[in-house]
Structures are given as structure tokens and as C-alpha cells.
């Protein structure tokens, strides 16, 4: 027992981190630099562990941590989300939907300490191949937007769609779109996306004045439909309607 003793060796591609844990047990891991889709944001990914093969489980214990601050900013600032092309999702159900339907969009996962301990005991394979950080429960509660967080947050790439691409390769009589003009309520947008999926709609088209679809409240409300229903914002909804009519959409 006692504080870990840590030292680093550096090369151009990785840090080799040696640390001593209880009773002199020595372990080393290679932590890849620039493994994150974010350049220089410090989301290191452990590539492999040597000696006894165990992963080093570091835990973020302060709300002053830069990753925690960035998580909070992404949830609160639409401009920052757009600049970085990402958004934050919260909750195990929508997280599982992401990993099932759009695993390539997952950038980084954040787990509460209690959720990590639970999942490590009951589903140890759940985190295989996932880049993640563990947050102390009090820190996770500050980073999460919900009052009773479920223990999972993730930074995710924003899906992008193009209207012309949605029209290609589809039968005209099966093309169906929902148009939303200046819809402002996040919960309503999430509900509409779920309804669109259930009705088999081709996609949802929103005016620029509508609520940001990557708003955390919208993401939670979609319950995963955001990964299965195409959507896009347009400057001129009337022009978009005319374009659809030219492609035989009634």
C-alpha cells in the first residue's frame, strides 16, 4: 500500500509508464499519444499492458480536470460542439445504441467510479476495445447534466447527412420526410425523431431556427433514434421542398 511511484520514458509515438503498486509489484503500460480523434486534448489510450497484463485504472478526482471542464462546455455550448464536430450523450441506453449502430462515431467514454465497479464485476467484456476514463462519483455528478446520472457519458462525432445522398438509390414512392420549422423545444424534437423512426420516414429536415439537435436534452429524448434517422438543417425549407418535389416526393 502507499502512493504509486511513477516515471516516464518518451519517444515520438508513446509514453512508457512504469509504476509500482502495493508490495513492490511492478507493472508497465504503453500509453499512445495522439490516439484520440481530438488532437492534443489528452485522451490517451492504453494500447497494451505488460508483465501481469492488467490495465492501469486511473481515476479523475477533481472537477478542475481539463477533460471534465471540456465535457461541461460541450454540453452547454452549441458553438463549441459545431466547431469540434462532436456532442455529448448521457445514459446507458443511448450509449448502447451508439455502440450498436454507430460505433465508429464514439470518441471517448467517461464512467462513474460506481458504474465502473459494477460493470467490471457483472460484464467485464463490456469495455473491451473502448477508450475510457473513470471519474469519481462526485466529479461525474458535476459533469453530468441529469440529476440522477446513470454513470455513462460519451463524446461522439456528429453524424452528417446530405439531401441529395438521401434521395439517391431510393424508390420515389417510398421517400417520406418530416419538415420542422423553427421548432424550439428539445423534448419535442427528440419525440419527433422517435416517431419518424417508427413511421419509417426517410429523414427529418429542420429550419436553421430550430433547436440544436445535439442539445443534450434532445439526445436523451431520442433514446437512440438520432443514430438511425437521417436529419439535416436547411437555410430555406421552401427550396428544400421544391427539390424533393422534383425528385417525385409528394
Amino acid at each position: 500500500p502507499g502512493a504509486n511511484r511513477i516515471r516516464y520514458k518518451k519517444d515520438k509515438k508513446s509514453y512508457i509508464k512504469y509504476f509500482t503498486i502495493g508490495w513492490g509489484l511492478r507493472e508497465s503500460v504503453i500509453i499512445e499519444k495522439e490516439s484520440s480523434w481530438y488532437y492534443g486534448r489528452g485522451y490517451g489510450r492504453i494500447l497494451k499492458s505488460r508483465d501481469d497484463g492488467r490495465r492501469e485504472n486511473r481515476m479523475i478526482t477533481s472537477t478542475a480536470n481539463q477533460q471534465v471542464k471540456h465535457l461541461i462546455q460541450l454540453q452547454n455550448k452549441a458553438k463549441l460542439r459545431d466547431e469540434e464536430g462532436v456532442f455529448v450523450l448521457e445514459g446507458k441506453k443511448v450509449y448502447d445504441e451508439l455502440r450498436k449502430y454507430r460505433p465508429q462515431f464514439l470518441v471517448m467514454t467517461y464512467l462513474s467510479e460506481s458504474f465502473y465497479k459494477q460493470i467490471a464485476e457483472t460484464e467485464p467484456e463490456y469495455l473491451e476495445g473502448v477508450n475510457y476514463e473513470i471519474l469519481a462519483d462526485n466529479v461525474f455528478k458535476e459533469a453530468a447534466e441529469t440529476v440522477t446520472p446513470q454513470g455513462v457519458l460519451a463524446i461522439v462525432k456528429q453524424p452528417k447527412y446530405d439531401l441529395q445522398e438521401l434521395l439517391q438509390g431510393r424508390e420515389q414512392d417510398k421517400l417520406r420526410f418530416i419538415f420542422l420549422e423553427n421548432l424550439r423545444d428539445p423534448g419535442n424534437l427528440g419525440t419527433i425523431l422517435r416517431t419518424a423512426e417508427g413511421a419509417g420516414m426517410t429523414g427529418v429536415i429542420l429550419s436553421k431556427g430550430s433547436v440544436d439537435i445535439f442539445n443534450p436534452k434532445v439526445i436523451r429524448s431520442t433514446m437512440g433514434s438520432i443514430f438511425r434517422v437521417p436529419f439535416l438543417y436547411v437555410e430555406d425549407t421552401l427550396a428544400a421542398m421544391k427539390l424533393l418535389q422534383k425528385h417525385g416526393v409528394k
Side-chain angles (χ1 to χ4, degrees):
N4 294 343
R5 296 192 298 276
I6 301 172
R7 65 187 178 89
Y8 292 92
K9 289 183 178 180
K10 296 183 179 180
D11 61 27
K12 292 182 179 179
K13 294 183 179 179
S14 64
Y15 290 108
I16 301 177
K17 181 175 183 179
Y18 298 92
F19 60 99
T20 305
I21 52 180
W23 295 284
L25 179 61
R26 187 170 181 274
E27 184 178 36
S28 63
V29 295
I30 296 178
I31 302 179
E32 184 184 24
K33 291 162 62 179
E34 298 182 357
S35 60
S36 164
W37 182 71
Y38 279 116
Y39 294 102
R41 286 207 176 273
Y43 299 125
R45 177 166 62 92
I46 293 179
L47 296 179
K48 60 181 178 180
S49 179
R50 296 195 296 228
D51 298 337
D52 65 354
R54 296 177 306 167
R55 173 176 177 146
E56 176 204 15
N57 293 321
R58 298 170 297 165
M59 184 164 65
I60 296 174
T61 58
S62 172
T63 54
N65 180 277
Q66 290 301 314
Q67 294 192 55
V68 176
K69 289 182 177 180
H70 188 240
L71 267 173
I72 296 171
Q73 289 175 340
L74 282 174
Q75 293 177 86
N76 294 332
K77 299 179 179 180
K79 183 178 179 181
L80 182 61
R81 292 194 293 266
D82 290 341
E83 287 175 352
E84 299 190 5
V86 299
F87 66 97
V88 177
L89 65 76
E90 179 182 343
K92 188 174 184 299
K93 177 176 174 55
V94 68
Y95 179 75
D96 289 343
E97 293 289 297
L98 163 69
R99 293 182 64 185
K100 181 178 180 180
Y101 294 100
R102 292 288 189 272
Q104 71 276 20
F105 288 174
L106 178 59
V107 176
M108 191 68 184
T109 298
Y110 295 89
L111 310 171
S112 68
E113 179 185 6
S114 56
F115 180 83
Y116 171 75
K117 289 179 178 177
Q118 174 190 337
I119 211 72
E121 290 180 2
T122 59
E123 299 178 68
E125 72 284 354
Y126 185 77
L127 296 173
E128 288 182 1
V130 175
N131 301 336
Y132 66 89
E133 292 279 6
I134 304 168
L135 277 59
D137 286 346
N138 64 308
V139 176
F140 190 93
K141 191 170 184 178
E142 287 295 319
E145 193 183 64
T146 57
V147 177
T148 55
Q150 298 176 19
V152 184
L153 286 165
I155 294 177
V156 184
K157 295 180 185 180
Q158 295 181 2
K160 303 291 184 182
Y161 300 95
D162 179 84
L163 187 55
Q164 292 287 358
E165 292 178 358
L166 294 179
L167 295 173
Q168 292 176 1
R170 298 173 184 263
E171 296 179 24
Q172 290 183 352
D173 61 343
K174 293 184 179 180
L175 289 170
R176 293 179 175 84
F177 291 87
I178 294 178
F179 276 82
L180 302 176
E181 184 78 24
N182 296 331
L183 179 69
R184 301 297 176 85
D185 186 273
N188 285 349
L189 178 53
T191 301
I192 290 170
L193 254 69
R194 297 201 312 271
T195 302
E197 180 181 13
M201 305 301 289
T202 306
V204 175
I205 299 175
L206 305 97
S207 68
K208 286 291 185 179
S210 296
V211 63
D212 179 18
I213 201 167
F214 299 113
N215 179 301
K217 292 183 176 65
V218 177
I219 300 299
R220 290 196 301 275
S221 182
T222 67
M223 299 178 67
S225 291
I226 191 168
F227 302 120
R228 297 183 293 273
V229 178
F231 57 86
L232 67 153
Y233 287 83
V234 294
E235 294 286 351
D236 188 335
T237 52
L238 182 59
M241 287 181 181
K242 290 180 178 179
L243 176 62
L244 292 178
Q245 288 175 341
K246 289 180 179 180
H247 284 79
V249 180
K250 299 179 180 179

